[in-house]
Amino acid sequence: MFKAIKAMLEGFIFPTSTPWALSLPGTRFDYAKAVGDGLGSNVIMSPVQWMMRTFPEAPVIVEKLAKDGYEKMPGHKILELLEEPNEFYPGEVLWMGTMMSFAIAGNAYWLKRRNNAGRVSELYYVPHWTIEPKAPRDGRGYITHYDYNPMGVTQRVEVEDVVHFRHGINPKNIRQGLSPLDSVVREVFTDDEAANFSATILKNMGVPGVIISPEAGVIADENAMKAVKEKYQETFGGDHRGEALVLKGPTKVQQFGFNPAQMSVGKLRNISEERVCAALGIPAAVVGFGTGLQQTKVGATMAELIRLAWKGNIIPTQRLMAATLRKQLLPDFEPEPKKFKLRFDNSEVQALQEDRNKLVERLNIAIGGGWATRSEGRRAMGWPVEKGDEVYFEPAGAFVTPAGQSGKPKQIKAATPTEGRVIETAPRKRPTRAHLRLGTVFAKDHARMSQVFEKELSGTFDDLGRMAEEAADELLKAFYDLETKDPQDTLDAERILASMPLLDIEKDLRKKYQAHYLRVSKVTTDSINGVMGLGVQLPDTRAREIISEGGRRLGLVDVAGQTRRRLFRELEEGRALGEGVPQLVARIRDKVPAGRWSTPGVRAKVIARTETKHAQRKSALETYKEADTVTQAMVLDARLGSTDEECEALNGTIVSLEDAEALMNDEHPNGTRDFVPMIGE
């Protein structure tokens, strides 16, 4: 069998490169040949040089697989080589040359130079036009070697002595990468021709030329005409522009062509700048192009555009480069390269550092909203975390705090509809096995039912996204100037909102909330009866109370408010980036259903977990109220390790069912608090 597999693999044929040249639709002219290597085209070299200057800012780091993940290896040999690749230039220069070839040709090459022991001791950049991967003519192999031709003499270089960075795969030659600029070569040619045209016109005194002719009835011989031409060019050429010319005999001088305003080729050049920068994933303003600077006038700051350039160009390129180094260079240093990984460290890149004020504002919202801990905020600011920082802020504004640690009853202030309610707690007790088992069952039920509700909510948010997409597509096309990309009406967001059937979404959510609360009620009551043996069945009145609780909590989703705020935000950001209708519509479809969360999926998950836990607690307490033998409940809290002092103080305390309901409303998001029944006490 192994022989058959080997024969099959050896017989696998890779397609050889095609003889086809770059084919552009609607033309037979060879624009690529006219543009040449692109090094003389400023519309190419401006963004490419930005890439060359920017890419070396982030250093490469090596990490080794350890028990607890990956750990950094700052003194690794490969890092020393990348920092000083050879005796002639540093690693920054090596990366600059690499980025130039990678951006222009989609291929960049390093040659490895080995010492007497056969180890890689030096790295050299080689121009992409001097080296080419080669394969057998029959295709029975991928790359057998490289042909290197630096001085007109071809040399064979083995595969293991080359580091070949590819921009994807060129389908016309799968052994090479695809140039990101191939598809915009016409725009590059247009810009080159516009530059040549402007330069030629200026060279000829700012006009296309003049016609010098004798007046009617005057006959001039060829020598006289030649003399007049030479005299005219001598008098008005170079530094003599504007001087007077005196001709013998009646002569008429006429300007040929058009006025300076007609000579403007700026719009043509703007198109070239936009297309080339778009192909490279760099906003035009970042490299100083005039067309891109218009984006900064409609709200996008230069810092934001530079971050977009990093995310659209530098960071994706870093991933490709790191993967290539891991595969083609790391094995020269490590016998087990799979235990290592390389990546670029962007932690100190200035352009990616979030504005301090914006960071503080974002953290204030997160912590004040109750879905981030105080410790998470301090860590994000780079401040030390102290004991007691692992706490959530409850939006209601109150905290659960212990009043004493003795065996006497304690008083706990809780955030309840009746502000300032004092909860009396009995001394702690150790939970029984039945209590712990019920807590475990509650956790399993919660996880399972949360997933069900999450899928249901995701469907509703998908519907919301489609509604927003349909409304935006229709209205933005009607009130958006596609040619100038300028908004024609500031009421776009209001029009979109008005045309979205948000009431249908709210009705759908209400039904799903009520159905879910009823589902959770049945499962929770069955679990309590199964573990604690209460034998309770909820009457319709208590079931209706649980269902109505789900309907009341629908306001937490705030469909209309969150949709409005997110829609305004995405329209503002999209317009600031100069996006057209298709991009704006796609942005609205993907982002608006997320509300105040990062994605619709996160929104569905957080709501599903929070609401399922609330429904479970509510159902448990309603079940205990129906049992004649239960008047108190034990609080189970702080079950996921170290947490805030309030939760740890509550764990194991005994409270009345009424006070348990108050504590239920006081729980912070993502909490684990449960209530188990104290039977006969």
Side-chain angles (χ1 to χ4, degrees):
M1 182 178 70
F2 291 107
K3 291 183 178 180
I5 295 175
K6 182 180 179 181
M8 180 183 68
L9 293 176
E10 290 177 346
F12 189 84
I13 298 178
F14 294 95
T16 56
S17 59
T18 71
W20 302 334
L22 174 67
S23 57
L24 295 172
T27 181
R28 294 183 179 180
F29 182 77
D30 193 347
Y31 289 97
K33 182 178 180 181
V35 170
D37 56 24
L39 297 178
S41 300
N42 62 70
V43 73
I44 288 179
M45 291 309 298
S46 294
V48 168
Q49 289 193 63
W50 180 87
M51 295 167 59
M52 294 168 62
R53 293 189 300 268
T54 305
F55 192 85
E57 188 174 347
V60 178
I61 60 175
V62 178
E63 296 176 323
K64 184 178 181 180
L65 183 63
K67 291 182 178 179
D68 300 326
Y70 284 88
E71 60 182 16
K72 291 184 180 180
M73 303 189 67
H76 199 279
K77 290 292 184 181
I78 196 173
L79 299 181
E80 297 178 4
L81 182 63
L82 291 174
E83 185 175 355
E84 295 291 338
N86 56 64
E87 60 179 316
F88 301 104
Y89 48 80
E92 288 83 355
V93 174
L94 176 67
W95 282 118
M96 291 179 77
T98 304
M99 289 302 293
M100 178 184 62
S101 289
F102 188 80
I104 293 176
N107 295 277
Y109 302 89
W110 293 352
L111 290 184
K112 304 176 188 177
R113 187 171 182 178
R114 301 180 183 272
N115 56 23
N116 293 334
R119 297 176 180 174
V120 177
S121 58
E122 292 181 317
L123 295 171
Y124 288 90
Y125 160 81
V126 293
H128 53 270
W129 58 81
T130 64
I131 189 168
E132 182 182 8
K134 306 300 289 186
R137 293 181 179 179
D138 60 4
R140 296 181 183 275
Y142 192 64
I143 298 177
T144 57
H145 67 282
Y146 288 83
D147 278 352
Y148 178 44
N149 190 339
M151 301 290 291
V153 179
T154 301
Q155 304 175 23
R156 178 186 174 101
V157 182
E158 300 303 325
V159 173
E160 58 267 23
D161 290 329
V162 176
V163 178
H164 181 182
F165 299 99
R166 300 175 179 85
H167 184 269
I169 294 180
N170 188 341
K172 295 183 178 179
N173 185 348
I174 64 172
R175 294 160 184 84
Q176 291 186 320
L178 181 66
S179 169
L181 298 177
D182 273 354
S183 61
V184 293
V185 68
R186 274 186 300 198
E187 282 73 17
V188 175
F189 174 83
T190 300
D191 189 81
D192 290 344
E193 288 298 297
N196 291 334
F197 175 76
S198 300
T200 302
I201 293 299
L202 292 175
K203 182 180 177 183
N204 289 292
M205 304 182 306
V207 295
V210 298
I211 298 176
I212 304 175
S213 61
E215 289 287 357
V218 178
I219 301 176
D221 60 26
E222 185 175 347
N223 291 332
M225 293 169 59
K226 183 176 181 181
V228 171
K229 176 181 177 181
E230 292 175 353
K231 182 65 175 176
Y232 184 88
Q233 291 177 334
E234 179 184 352
T235 302
F236 290 103
D239 295 332
H240 299 289
R241 296 173 181 174
E243 293 187 2
L245 172 66
V246 180
L247 298 173
K248 296 178 180 180
T251 307
K252 181 170 61 176
V253 180
Q254 293 177 302
Q255 179 177 328
F256 175 75
F258 38 79
N259 60 45
Q262 293 173 309
M263 296 190 322
S264 175
V265 292
K267 291 185 178 180
L268 287 175
R269 304 197 73 177
N270 286 348
I271 294 174
S272 300
E273 294 170 359
E274 290 177 349
R275 300 295 170 81
V276 171
C277 286
L280 294 173
I282 302 173
V286 172
V287 300
F289 282 150
T291 180
L293 291 174
Q294 295 299 321
Q295 295 176 358
T296 62
K297 296 180 180 180
V298 293
T301 66
M302 184 58 71
E304 291 170 338
L305 294 176
I306 291 175
R307 281 196 290 271
L308 283 177
W310 269 84
K311 294 177 181 179
N313 179 284
I314 300 298
I315 293 177
T317 304
Q318 288 175 341
R319 289 197 293 266
L320 287 171
M321 298 290 187
T324 300
L325 291 176
R326 183 174 182 269
K327 189 172 184 64
Q328 299 185 21
L329 187 60
L330 186 61
D332 290 298
F333 296 86
E334 295 294 345
E336 296 181 286
K338 291 185 177 180
K339 294 184 178 180
F340 296 80
K341 70 176 182 179
L342 289 85
R343 64 180 178 88
F344 289 80
D345 184 7
N346 293 325
S347 60
E348 299 299 323
V349 173
Q350 186 63 33
L352 298 179
Q353 303 306 308
E354 186 174 15
D355 181 84
R356 200 71 169 174
N357 292 334
K358 290 184 178 180
L359 176 60
V360 171
E361 182 181 353
R362 182 168 60 85
L363 291 173
N364 282 338
I365 294 174
I367 297 172
W371 47 278
T373 63
R374 189 164 61 201
S375 63
E376 290 171 329
R378 297 185 65 86
R379 290 190 188 97
M381 294 295 295
W383 298 339
V385 177
E386 302 174 355
K387 184 179 180 181
D389 285 335
E390 296 289 341
V391 294
Y392 289 91
F393 176 79
E394 174 62 39
F399 299 87
V400 179
T401 55
Q405 300 296 331
S406 65
K408 298 179 181 180
K410 297 177 293 184
Q411 292 186 342
I412 297 177
K413 184 179 179 181
T416 66
T418 304
E419 189 62 36
R421 176 191 179 104
V422 175
I423 297 175
E424 296 288 341
T425 66
R428 292 190 187 187
K429 287 189 177 182
R430 184 182 298 276
T432 65
R433 289 185 178 181
H435 288 151
L436 295 177
R437 183 184 172 194
L438 182 57
T440 301
V441 172
F442 279 163
K444 291 181 179 180
D445 289 345
H446 175 263
R448 178 170 50 84
M449 290 186 293
S450 292
Q451 291 180 354
V452 174
F453 197 33
E454 180 184 345
K455 291 181 180 179
E456 294 175 347
L457 291 175
S458 294
T460 299
F461 294 142
D462 286 343
D463 292 340
L464 179 61
R466 285 192 293 271
M467 290 178 183
E469 178 185 18
E470 293 171 0
D473 185 62
E474 179 180 355
L475 289 168
L476 289 181
K477 285 180 179 178
F479 296 99
Y480 210 78
D481 189 327
L482 297 179
E483 184 175 349
T484 64
K485 294 184 179 178
D486 289 333
Q488 298 298 302
D489 198 319
T490 58
L491 300 178
D492 286 348
E494 294 293 350
R495 288 193 176 99
I496 293 172
L497 282 169
S499 63
M500 290 176 61
L502 294 181
L503 289 178
D504 292 343
I505 292 292
E506 291 185 351
K507 289 179 181 178
D508 181 60
L509 276 174
R510 187 177 300 278
K511 290 180 180 178
K512 288 179 178 178
Y513 257 69
Q514 292 177 342
H516 184 61
Y517 268 66
L518 180 60
R519 174 169 55 216
V520 172
S521 172
K522 292 179 179 179
V523 171
T524 303
T525 300
D526 289 344
S527 295
I528 293 171
N529 288 333
V531 175
M532 306 302 296
L534 293 182
V536 174
Q537 294 297 324
L538 290 181
D540 291 343
T541 54
R542 293 201 182 276
R544 283 195 296 270
E545 172 63 22
I546 294 172
I547 294 173
S548 64
E549 179 80 4
R552 288 193 296 268
R553 288 179 63 86
L554 180 61
L556 297 177
V557 182
D558 188 16
V559 175
Q562 292 188 27
T563 300
R564 177 186 298 274
R565 288 189 290 270
R566 193 60 184 259
L567 181 59
F568 272 97
R569 169 182 161 187
E570 296 306 325
L571 279 174
E572 183 179 15
E573 290 185 4
R575 284 170 174 167
L577 297 175
E579 294 180 351
V581 171
Q583 292 83 10
L584 283 173
V585 171
R587 173 188 286 271
I588 288 170
R589 178 196 63 222
D590 296 337
K591 301 293 186 180
V592 167
R596 64 184 178 92
W597 284 269
S598 57
T599 67
V602 172
R603 184 182 190 183
K605 181 181 291 292
V606 172
I607 292 175
R609 290 168 61 180
T610 302
E611 294 306 306
T612 301
K613 176 55 71 175
H614 186 81
Q616 190 177 52
R617 297 186 188 113
K618 178 69 175 176
S619 300
L621 292 178
E622 292 297 328
T623 301
Y624 302 155
K625 290 177 184 178
E626 194 63 24
D628 296 334
T629 57
V630 179
T631 59
Q632 294 178 311
M634 176 185 288
V635 182
L636 297 184
D637 210 336
R639 288 179 290 164
L640 295 179
S642 179
T643 182
D644 58 271
E645 294 179 1
E646 289 81 0
C647 292
E648 290 180 354
L650 279 170
N651 188 37
T653 57
I654 310 300
V655 296
S656 68
L657 297 183
E658 291 74 15
D659 288 344
E661 196 160 14
L663 289 174
M664 174 186 70
N665 294 322
D666 183 58
E667 169 70 325
H668 54 63
N670 296 318
T672 60
R673 184 174 300 165
D674 280 316
F675 303 96
V676 293
M678 300 299 294
I679 301 175
E681 298 186 32

